[in-house]
């Protein structure tokens, strides 16, 4: 039992160290770009020795790839939790999508630098981690696809909708709207932004019911 506790404690400490490195890396890379950011700077910002970076990650590229996995994993989990909570509470699929939009905005509000990096990397095709990025992107979009598909099967949504494209459009809407909010309209509250996107989702922009 003591050895198990020690192993658990070591795992917890390592995870805390990796979290520090993720936060340091995402902040620095958002400020000055991937190429300009050095391992020394990441270590200094995280408050650890340079060797600690290499102990946890083989290289700066590996660190960034794992950062993408970690960040998108958190986003995916928050979207899934929003959908599952709505289902437990008896809400419909539109309610689930609305809850997922809010969950996405909450995530972006908490991690704006990561979101900025993630969106920027989606447009690049010459990175070593491109295949990883596509995999984790699809994991996030797939959560939305599941809700849409269930809505179609249950008769709540039209059978004519293109599920993969609609899911990607909804995720993209949240990402771009949130980045615009953070960059150009920071005076707005999260509730304001959510309300605007909710109206789009529910087809109430024209004022018709």
């Amino acid at each position: 039992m003591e050895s198990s506790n020690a192993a658990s404690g070591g795992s917890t400490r390592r995870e805390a160290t990796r979290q520090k490195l993720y936060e340091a890396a995402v902040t620095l890379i958002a400020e000055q770009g991937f190429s300009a950011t050095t391992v020394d700077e990441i270590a200094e910002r995280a408050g650890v020795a340079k060797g600690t970076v290499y102990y946890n990650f083989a290289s700066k590229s590996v660190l960034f790839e794992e950062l993408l996995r970690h960040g998108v994993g958190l986003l995916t989990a928050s979207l899934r939790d929003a959908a599952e909570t709505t289902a437990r509470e008896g809400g419909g699929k539109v309610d689930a999508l609305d809850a997922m939009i809010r969950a996405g905005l909450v995530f972006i509000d908490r991690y704006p630098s990561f979101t900025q990096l993630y969106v920027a990397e989606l447009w690049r095709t010459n990175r070593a981690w491109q295949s990883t990025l596509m995999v984790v992107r699809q994991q996030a979009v797939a959560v939305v696809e599941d809700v849409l598909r269930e809505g179609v099967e249950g008769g709540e949504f039209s059978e004519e909708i293109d599920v993969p494209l609609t899911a990607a459009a909804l995720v993209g809407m949240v990402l771009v709207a949130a980045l615009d909010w953070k960059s150009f309209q920071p005076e707005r509250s999260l509730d304001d932004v959510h309300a605007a996107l909710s109206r789009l989702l529910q087809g109430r922009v024209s004022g018709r019911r």
Side-chain angles (χ1 to χ4, degrees), residues 22 25-26 62-72 114 117:
Y22 288 145
V26 74
V62 171
L63 167 56
F64 191 68
E65 184 172 347
E66 289 302 312
L67 170 62
L68 290 172
R69 288 183 184 276
H70 176 73
V72 180
F114 172 79
L117 282 177

Side-chain angles (χ1 to χ4, degrees), residues 101 105 167-179 196-198 200-201:
I101 286 174
L105 292 173
L170 287 171
V171 172
M173 176 183 75
V174 174
L175 289 172
V176 174
L179 287 177
L197 298 187
S198 182
L200 285 172
L201 171 68

Side-chain angles (χ1 to χ4, degrees), residues 45-94:
R45 180 69 65 94
V48 300
K50 181 177 179 179
T52 301
V53 180
Y54 288 115
Y55 175 76
N56 286 275
F57 306 100
S59 66
K60 185 176 69 171
S61 292
V62 171
L63 167 56
F64 191 68
E65 184 172 347
E66 289 302 312
L67 170 62
L68 290 172
R69 288 183 184 276
H70 176 73
V72 180
L74 290 176
L75 172 60
T76 301
S78 67
L79 296 178
R80 184 179 295 110
D81 182 65
E84 292 174 350
T85 298
T86 302
R88 286 196 301 270
E89 294 174 351
K93 299 308 176 185
V94 173

Side-chain angles (χ1 to χ4, degrees), residues 141-156:
V141 174
V143 179
V144 184
E145 287 182 4
D146 288 343
V147 172
L148 289 170
R149 196 169 289 110
E150 290 167 3
V152 171
E153 292 171 355
E156 192 170 345

